[in-house]
Amino acid sequence: MSFCKFKISNIFLFLMFILMAGCLSIALKQDFIWDLINYHYYNAWAFVHHRLGYDIAPAFVNTYFNPLIELPYYFMIQYWNEIPDLIMFCQGTWFGILMFIFYKICLFYFDTSKECLSFVLTLLLAATGFATFSQIGTSTNEIQVSVLILWGFYLILKHLDDIKRTKIVWVTSGLLMGLALGLKPTVIPYCIAMGISLIIFMKPLNVSIKEISIFALSGLIGYLLINGWWMWQLYEHFDNPFFPFLNKIFKSEYFDDMNFSDRRYIDIVWWKKLILPYLFAFHQKRRVVGETVFFDFRFALVYTIILFQIAYYIIKNHKMTLDRRYLLA
């Protein structure tokens, strides 16, 4: 009986997160972005109409991203264009799924009967992050792949203390992260961070090399399942499976002999890099992150706390050193 109640509770909460996120997306209506106009809709349309060998980079390098992730939004526009609120609702549900997974992760660390306020504040802190909040209901697909990444992370956390942990946990988690990477390469830092973390904390987490290898191999399989066919398409057309990227290696004649990267928001003077958290905290005339206006005070808050902690540690150690010298004297 308790098991049934537990399952119903989870289902109810999941639906509540979905409903709230969908309604929030309708209220925000914030998908008027450059990338939608530039390539999100075009890439799906070009895939459906087999334009890869005909159109010449109409969206520049973005033309050659894996189009599969763009298809759901494209087909919603095709069939529900007269009901925009329905499209916005469906797009927003991904945020609800993301927050539900985060909610499940938080349950590992909070005793909700004693730390209810901290628990709720943590959920709000995650939900209101500017990079996430500003993409609710949009076509950027960042939240969609974040769902896969966080889901994979949740599975590992859930089974870390499970003595009877099975291979399926590592296979599923690896597949989810590989699928996310294949759909949107920008998630690669999280995949690498997960792999490195498992290696560094292998002993404390009681994780074996075999399990890490299964995780990595499953990630590669997931990546190839979702992106391998597209890599083959690019190789057949342009002699570069990652075209137009990494072209200094593959040397396709259809692009410059260079490894392309967008450095508009990277090449800044060194001293500005030191104060980036404070630049994030205020509206800037010159955008420092991307095409959209970005501001988030939380980075500055955490950065300040860290600086104070470092200063406190240095002063405390210095005082202890002086006290020892005084005693020895």
Side-chain angles (χ1 to χ4, degrees):
M1 186 69 179
S2 60
F3 177 77
C4 293
K5 287 182 178 179
F6 175 76
K7 299 298 284 187
I8 291 172
S9 175
N10 271 293
I11 292 171
F12 173 77
L13 285 170
F14 178 75
L15 293 176
M16 184 182 72
F17 274 107
I18 292 289
L19 180 62
M20 291 175 63
C23 292
L24 180 61
S25 177
I26 293 174
L28 292 173
K29 288 184 173 62
Q30 57 184 0
D31 199 24
F32 189 69
I33 57 175
W34 166 247
D35 282 349
L36 170 60
I37 302 169
N38 183 38
Y39 78 96
H40 287 307
Y41 183 85
Y42 165 78
N43 281 6
W45 175 87
F47 171 69
V48 171
H49 293 89
H50 309 288
R51 301 299 302 177
L52 182 60
Y54 297 92
D55 299 344
I56 304 175
F60 191 42
V61 296
N62 297 353
T63 303
Y64 305 102
F65 291 161
N66 188 330
L68 288 186
I69 199 169
E70 315 292 357
L71 291 178
Y73 194 64
Y74 170 79
F75 284 117
M76 281 192 287
I77 291 176
Q78 292 300 302
Y79 295 106
W80 299 339
N81 197 45
E82 301 302 318
I83 321 174
D85 283 350
L86 179 58
I87 297 176
M88 287 291 98
F89 182 88
C90 291
Q91 284 292 100
T93 57
W94 288 103
F95 176 66
I97 298 171
L98 183 71
M99 288 308 303
F100 178 75
I101 297 172
F102 184 74
Y103 156 81
K104 297 290 286 184
I105 290 175
C106 286
L107 291 177
F108 296 141
Y109 301 99
F110 290 94
D111 181 349
T112 52
S113 62
K114 299 177 181 178
E115 303 172 298
C116 184
L117 180 60
S118 299
F119 181 74
V120 172
L121 288 175
T122 300
L123 287 175
L124 288 174
L125 191 66
T128 54
F130 190 87
T132 303
F133 195 85
S134 64
Q135 296 186 79
I136 297 173
T138 68
S139 57
T140 59
N141 297 311
E142 298 283 354
I143 292 179
Q144 284 87 325
V145 292
S146 296
V147 166
L148 298 176
I149 292 291
L150 210 60
W151 188 4
F153 181 57
Y154 165 76
L155 289 176
I156 291 178
L157 287 178
K158 183 179 180 181
H159 295 278
L160 276 177
D161 297 326
D162 186 358
I163 299 175
K164 298 180 179 178
R165 183 171 56 210
T166 59
K167 295 178 183 178
I168 193 65
V169 173
W170 299 99
V171 170
T172 306
S173 179
L175 281 173
L176 288 169
M177 293 197 175
L179 291 173
L181 181 61
L183 289 170
K184 204 168 180 71
T186 52
V187 303
I188 194 169
Y190 309 105
C191 298
I192 294 174
M194 176 60 76
I196 292 175
S197 298
L198 288 173
I199 293 170
I200 292 174
F201 299 103
M202 187 168 58
K203 288 186 177 180
L205 297 176
N206 194 26
V207 177
S208 67
I209 286 290
K210 183 180 178 181
E211 288 173 321
I212 296 174
S213 300
I214 291 172
F215 170 78
L217 181 59
S218 300
L220 178 61
I221 292 171
Y223 176 78
L224 292 176
L225 280 174
I226 203 73
N227 196 49
W229 68 277
W230 183 246
M231 292 169 65
W232 181 252
Q233 288 284 310
L234 293 177
Y235 180 76
E236 280 196 321
H237 282 84
F238 309 110
D239 298 322
N240 179 350
F242 300 98
F243 184 84
F245 304 99
L246 302 179
N247 205 49
K248 201 170 185 63
I249 298 172
F250 293 98
K251 301 187 183 302
S252 168
E253 62 181 342
Y254 298 97
F255 197 73
D256 292 339
D257 186 12
M258 61 177 290
N259 294 332
F260 176 83
S261 63
D262 186 351
R263 308 193 65 83
R264 287 176 296 169
Y265 308 105
I266 299 176
D267 290 335
I268 59 175
V269 293
W270 67 268
W271 63 267
K272 278 193 175 182
K273 292 180 181 179
L274 297 176
I275 62 168
L276 269 179
Y278 299 109
L279 295 180
F280 291 163
F282 304 100
H283 174 77
Q284 297 290 310
K285 291 182 179 179
R286 180 184 180 276
R287 295 171 183 174
V288 295
V289 174
E291 285 84 3
T292 57
V293 174
F294 176 91
F295 55 93
D296 195 328
F297 71 90
R298 300 173 312 160
F299 292 97
L301 179 61
V302 172
Y303 192 58
T304 302
I305 291 172
I306 292 172
L307 291 178
F308 271 106
Q309 286 285 348
I310 293 172
Y312 172 77
Y313 178 79
I314 293 172
I315 293 170
K316 183 179 179 181
N317 277 359
H318 181 66
K319 184 180 179 182
M320 289 175 64
T321 303
L322 291 176
D323 289 343
R324 285 197 200 99
R325 288 178 180 175
Y326 176 77
L327 290 171
L328 290 172

